[in-house]
């Protein structure tokens, strides 16, 4: 009889652990898939954008530039309320350059010179 009780308790413990791992595992996956919006805050303020190309990102094939100095005003707003400027968000791989198209943020894509 004692062996059966021990077995029942072990089943309860294992089930509890499985539920706990599922819950914590699901939260970790959800943290990586935060939804976000990208805002160009130069459009909603009196900010006068200095006219000069500003390279804000580069990959193996292309350089990406804004038509004026505004990378500190292009902000990624995550669903949890946190914010990052576009340069940090791209470098941290939170967003992709193509996401700017989704949010109608204008930029230039220039092919790098290859040797």
């Amino acid at each position: 009889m004692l062996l059966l009780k021990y077995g029942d308790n072990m089943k309860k413990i294992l089930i509890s652990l499985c539920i706990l791992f599922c819950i914590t595992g699901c939260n970790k996956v959800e943290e990586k898939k935060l939804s976000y919006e990208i805002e160009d805050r130069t459009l909603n303020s009196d900010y006068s954008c200095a006219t000069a190309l500003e390279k804000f990102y580069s990959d193996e094939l292309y350089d990406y530039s804004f038509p004026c100095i505004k990378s500190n005003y292009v902000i990624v707003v995550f669903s949890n309320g946190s914010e990052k400027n576009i340069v940090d968000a791209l470098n941290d791989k939170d967003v992709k350059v193509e996401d700017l198209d989704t949010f109608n943020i204008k930029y230039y894509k220039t092919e790098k010179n290859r040797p």
Side-chain angles (χ1 to χ4, degrees):
M1 228 30 191
L2 182 61
L3 190 58
L4 287 177
K5 283 189 176 182
Y6 178 76
D8 288 342
N9 286 338
M10 285 302 285
K11 286 179 187 176
K12 289 177 185 177
I13 290 171
L14 287 174
I15 290 171
S16 297
L17 285 174
C18 287
I19 291 170
L20 178 68
F21 286 131
C22 180
I23 291 170
T24 58
C26 294
N27 286 340
K28 288 182 181 176
V29 169
E30 192 172 318
E31 285 175 12
K32 290 183 181 179
K33 293 187 176 187
L34 290 175
S35 60
Y36 53 86
E37 293 184 8
I38 303 175
E39 300 176 356
D40 181 350
R41 293 188 177 165
T42 64
L43 303 175
N44 302 330
S45 69
D46 293 333
Y47 177 73
S48 180
C49 202
T51 306
L53 288 178
E54 179 190 18
K55 184 169 83 170
F56 63 90
Y57 189 70
S58 186
D59 60 25
E60 293 175 5
L61 301 175
Y62 299 99
D63 289 325
Y64 302 89
S65 304
F66 288 125
C68 64
I69 310 298
K70 67 178 187 175
S71 64
N72 287 331
Y73 294 90
V74 178
I75 305 298
V76 180
V77 181
F78 297 95
S79 61
N80 67 2
S82 65
E83 298 182 353
K84 286 185 184 181
N85 70 43
I86 191 64
V87 174
D88 292 339
L90 285 165
N91 288 332
D92 293 343
K93 303 207 183 310
D94 293 323
V95 298
K96 298 177 282 190
V97 174
E98 295 79 18
D99 293 335
L100 292 168
D101 297 326
T102 303
F103 294 95
N104 297 314
I105 310 289
K106 305 283 186 234
Y107 64 93
Y108 298 116
K109 179 179 175 179
T110 309
E111 190 171 1
K112 289 183 175 182
N113 295 331
R114 297 186 199 178

